[in-house]
């Protein structure tokens, strides 16, 4: 069973009054109360070491007495804290019974340890907040719910660290750069990540894992970009927008060179979805259409040169991508479907006969009825479902057989789906890129 990790550092953003920029810092927490808790736990473990499960009520009493003892010398540990015990979970504040049990409901030493470690973490973080000086603009936390730190550089530029911890699937940890109140999103992620969509990436400039240690990444991101914009706002915009535009262009070009029937790597952290899961023709069409949607974001920034640069980059790729998709939907994908269906029939004929013969041989050994044969896949499945449960080897072989058939069916289905969807991508591109 996992034990809760101790928080040993506090991360902050400090204002450098001399130079006017921001500094990301890491400070070691003085965990001076840990020894009290460790001694109390050790004493409890020694006391219940030889007690068996049948003495559970006595163990629970010992745990309660240990809590009372700690509370008498360290009452501040048992205050109510704004502290999230699980950043990804739901209803995970410190006193949530479902995740971190209330003091009165702890029944094992392990539960008590985790509970007290959570409380120690919350206590130390809360103490650090009270020690902030006037130059500290932001500090790492584990507060549940929506929280935001905002740093305004100028009338146009704003840098934000934003969290929503402890709200299940809608939990997040973002760093945001706003220019004229428009989020500078990492729009090249649309092509870099297989499942990325325009609507998802426009909410942040950097997305962080839901871990306490990610505060260092968030604060470093804020400080480094703040300093870069401080030196030259227009140069910062040039670098950010042109760099993302070029990356989309480069990755789309690499995409067009792939073997569309295999898994390939087209950049450091990019993998095309396995062919069984997605038609690469379909993926190319989808990614190009999502890239076109980025025009709306760049248009809002209202600087013509960035819009023209990105528009012309997409326009340059339009003819080649359009040609590939049209060939795919009219020639390559139908040809692939025919090939897959032929291979599926060959596979069924070969492997079905092998399975049938295995069963016939096993039946002879068991002296079952001689005239029981299997003329269809359905009858074979019924036989394995209702007769001779000890035929595990045959059953496993049959499951493998069904698994391979599913792969063929899935791949054929995906190709047929691509034939239906690609015309929509072609129509979208022709409508949005009119030159």
């Amino acid at each position: 069973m996992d034990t809760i990790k101790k928080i040993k550092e506090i991360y902050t953003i400090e204002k450098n009054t001399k130079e006017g920029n921001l500094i990301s810092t890491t400070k070691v927490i003085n965990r001076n109360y840990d020894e009290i808790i460790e001694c109390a736990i050790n004493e409890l473990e020694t006391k219940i070491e030889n007690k068996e499960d049948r003495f559970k009520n006595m163990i629970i009493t010992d745990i309660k007495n240990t809590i009372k003892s700690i509370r008498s010398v360290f009452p501040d540990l048992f205050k109510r804290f704004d502290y999230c015990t699980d950043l990804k979970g739901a209803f995970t504040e410190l006193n949530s019974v479902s995740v971190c049990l209330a003091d009165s409901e702890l029944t094992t030493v392990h539960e008590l340890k985790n509970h007290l470690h959570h409380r120690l973490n919350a206590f130390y973080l809360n103490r650090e907040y009270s020690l902030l000086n006037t130059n500290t603009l932001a500090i790492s936390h584990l507060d549940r719910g929506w929280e935001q730190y905002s740093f305004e550089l100028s009338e146009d530029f704003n840098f934000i660290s934003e969290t929503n911890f402890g709200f299940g699937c809608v939990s997040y940890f973002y760093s945001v750069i706003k220019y004229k109140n428009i989020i500078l999103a990492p729009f090249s992620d649309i092509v870099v990540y297989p499942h990325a969509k325009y609507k998802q990436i426009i909410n942040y400039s950097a997305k962080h894992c839901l871990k306490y240690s990610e505060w260092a990444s968030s604060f470093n991101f804020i400080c480094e970009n703040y300093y870069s914009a401080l030196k030259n706002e227009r140069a910062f915009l040039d670098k950010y927008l042109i760099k993302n535009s070029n990356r989309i262009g480069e990755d789309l070009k690499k995409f067009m060179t792939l073997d569309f029937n295999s898994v390939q790597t087209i950049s450091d952290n990019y993998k095309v979805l396995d062919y069984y899961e997605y038609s690469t023709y379909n993926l190319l069409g989808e990614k190009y259409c999502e890239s076109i949607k980025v025009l709306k974001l760049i248009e809002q920034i209202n600087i013509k040169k960035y819009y023209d640069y990105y528009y012309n980059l997409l326009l340059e790729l339009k003819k080649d991508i359009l040609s590939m998709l049209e060939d795919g939907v009219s020639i390559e994908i139908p040809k692939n479907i025919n090939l897959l269906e032929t291979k599926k029939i060959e596979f069924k004929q070969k492997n079905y006969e092998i399975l049938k013969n295995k069963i016939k041989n096993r039946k002879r050994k068991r002296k079952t009825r001689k005239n029981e044969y299997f003329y269809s896949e359905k009858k074979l499945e019924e036989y394995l479902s209702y007769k001779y449960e000890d035929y595990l080897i045959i059953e496993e072989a049959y499951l493998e057989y069904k698994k391979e058939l599913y792969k063929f069916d899935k791949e054929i289905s995906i190709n047929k789906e691509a034939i239906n969807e690609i015309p929509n991508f072609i129509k979208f591109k022709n409508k949005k890129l009119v030159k």
Side-chain angles (χ1 to χ4, degrees):
M1 297 173 74
D2 293 337
T3 301
I4 301 307
K5 192 174 181 180
K6 293 179 180 180
I7 293 175
K8 297 181 179 179
E9 295 89 18
I10 200 87
Y11 306 101
T12 66
I13 291 181
E14 309 283 337
K15 185 176 182 181
N16 186 334
T17 52
K18 200 173 183 180
E19 298 180 15
N21 62 331
L22 306 176
I23 303 171
S24 175
T25 68
T26 303
K27 175 189 170 186
V28 176
I29 294 175
N30 176 20
R31 296 184 64 99
N32 54 319
Y33 287 97
D34 284 11
E35 193 175 344
I36 294 174
I37 303 304
E38 286 167 10
C39 287
I41 293 293
N42 289 338
E43 284 180 19
L44 175 62
E45 287 177 330
T46 302
K47 190 180 290 185
I48 66 174
E49 187 175 8
N50 297 319
K51 289 181 181 175
E52 299 175 10
D53 287 343
R54 59 198 176 94
F55 297 116
K56 190 172 182 180
N57 288 337
M58 293 175 64
I59 293 171
I60 292 172
T61 300
D62 290 335
I63 288 170
K64 287 181 177 179
N65 288 336
T66 299
I67 292 171
K68 286 178 184 177
S69 174
I70 295 171
R71 193 190 291 271
S72 67
V73 295
F74 192 3
D76 287 348
L77 186 66
F78 295 88
K79 288 181 178 178
R80 182 187 176 93
F81 298 105
D82 187 357
Y83 172 95
C84 184
T85 59
D86 179 2
L87 304 192
K88 299 177 186 178
F91 306 109
T92 56
E93 59 268 63
L94 184 57
N95 58 346
S96 168
V97 173
S98 62
V99 176
C100 189
L101 297 176
D103 302 338
S104 60
E105 297 184 7
L106 300 166
T107 59
T108 69
V109 176
H110 182 76
E111 287 175 354
L112 177 63
K113 276 183 182 179
N114 281 348
H115 184 73
L116 293 175
H117 281 152
H118 274 310
R119 287 202 166 276
L120 279 169
N121 285 341
F123 170 80
Y124 289 130
L125 287 173
N126 198 58
R127 186 177 65 181
E128 291 296 328
Y129 304 153
S130 66
L131 301 175
L132 298 180
N133 60 52
T134 53
N135 289 328
T136 304
L137 304 178
I139 187 168
S140 53
H141 66 76
L142 287 172
D143 295 353
R144 185 171 178 267
W146 186 83
E147 295 286 345
Q148 184 186 89
Y149 293 122
S150 182
F151 312 94
E152 188 175 293
L153 174 64
S154 65
E155 189 178 332
D156 290 336
F157 269 99
N158 198 23
F159 297 79
I160 301 164
S161 183
E162 189 172 285
T163 58
N164 188 38
F165 294 152
F167 272 79
C169 62
V170 295
S171 302
Y172 61 79
F173 192 169
Y174 296 156
S175 294
V176 178
I177 304 170
K178 283 189 176 181
Y179 176 74
K180 292 186 176 178
N181 214 33
I182 306 300
I183 294 175
L184 296 183
F187 54 87
S188 61
D189 282 4
I190 282 174
V191 179
V192 174
Y193 298 106
H195 293 291
K197 298 286 191 296
Y198 174 74
K199 286 184 178 179
Q200 297 167 329
I201 61 100
I202 58 172
N203 296 314
Y204 58 84
S205 302
K207 189 175 183 179
H208 309 288
C209 296
L210 289 167
K211 294 190 218 172
Y212 177 78
S213 59
E214 285 291 294
W215 278 108
S217 299
S218 175
F219 286 169
N220 285 334
F221 179 87
I222 296 291
C223 292
E224 287 168 8
N225 285 286
Y226 185 97
Y227 179 67
S228 180
L230 178 66
K231 287 196 298 183
N232 189 323
E233 289 187 6
R234 186 50 63 91
F236 173 79
L237 274 179
D238 280 353
K239 182 181 176 184
Y240 195 89
L241 294 170
I242 300 298
K243 179 182 175 183
N244 273 277
S245 297
N246 287 339
R247 190 173 187 188
I248 279 188
E250 288 165 7
D251 280 352
L252 283 173
K253 285 175 184 175
K254 289 176 185 175
F255 218 130
M256 293 160 64
T257 66
L258 295 178
D259 173 1
F260 276 26
N261 296 332
S262 63
V263 175
Q264 299 281 343
T265 300
I266 67 170
S267 68
D268 291 341
N269 54 358
Y270 184 97
K271 223 176 190 184
V272 179
L273 289 180
D274 187 87
Y275 192 58
Y276 287 130
E277 296 176 11
Y278 218 130
S279 160
T280 315
Y281 284 106
N282 209 350
L283 194 56
L284 173 62
E286 179 185 286
K287 291 305 176 188
Y288 190 65
C289 289
E290 290 296 316
S291 300
I292 292 172
K293 292 176 185 177
V294 173
L295 281 167
K296 184 179 179 182
L297 172 68
I298 297 178
E299 188 176 25
Q300 289 176 317
I301 293 170
N302 202 26
I303 298 177
K304 188 174 184 297
K305 81 166 186 175
Y306 300 129
Y307 183 87
D308 288 348
Y309 183 88
Y310 187 64
Y311 184 94
N312 289 327
L313 183 148
L314 293 179
L315 196 64
E316 185 184 324
L317 296 171
K318 177 183 175 181
K319 184 178 177 181
D320 289 339
I321 292 179
L322 207 61
S323 175
M324 287 186 73
L325 293 180
E326 286 170 345
D327 285 348
V329 78
S330 61
I331 302 169
E332 297 300 328
I333 299 176
K335 187 165 69 175
N336 214 24
I337 290 172
N338 289 335
L339 179 64
L340 286 166
E341 287 177 338
T342 302
K343 285 184 176 179
K344 178 186 171 184
I345 291 168
E346 291 172 353
F347 174 83
K348 284 181 74 172
Q349 288 173 343
K350 178 183 175 182
N351 290 276
Y352 182 73
E353 288 300 318
I354 292 170
L355 275 173
K356 191 166 72 171
N357 290 332
K358 278 186 179 180
I359 292 175
K360 284 164 70 176
N361 291 335
R362 296 287 286 178
K363 283 176 74 222
R364 288 191 190 103
K365 290 179 183 179
R366 290 288 297 265
K367 296 182 180 179
T368 53
R369 292 197 307 272
K370 292 179 182 179
N371 296 323
E372 191 169 2
Y373 293 98
F374 305 97
Y375 296 105
S376 70
E377 193 173 338
K378 185 178 179 182
K379 284 188 175 293
L380 175 61
E381 192 166 358
E382 286 174 358
Y383 178 86
L384 289 166
S385 301
Y386 302 113
K387 298 186 179 183
Y388 309 124
E389 293 178 358
D390 60 325
Y391 284 11
L392 295 177
I393 296 174
I394 296 172
E395 189 169 359
E396 284 175 13
Y398 179 65
L399 290 174
E400 283 300 312
Y401 167 77
K402 293 290 284 184
K403 187 177 176 182
E404 287 302 313
L405 284 181
Y406 172 79
K407 285 183 181 180
F408 281 114
D409 289 338
K410 179 72 173 172
E411 198 167 349
I412 290 167
S413 171
I414 285 166
N415 277 271
K416 288 180 177 178
E417 184 182 332
I419 287 177
N420 292 330
E421 290 194 8
I422 286 172
N424 295 328
F425 296 144
I426 293 170
K427 184 178 177 182
F428 180 86
K429 286 197 286 294
N430 285 330
K431 182 180 176 183
K432 297 293 180 180
L433 292 175
V434 294
K435 285 186 184 178

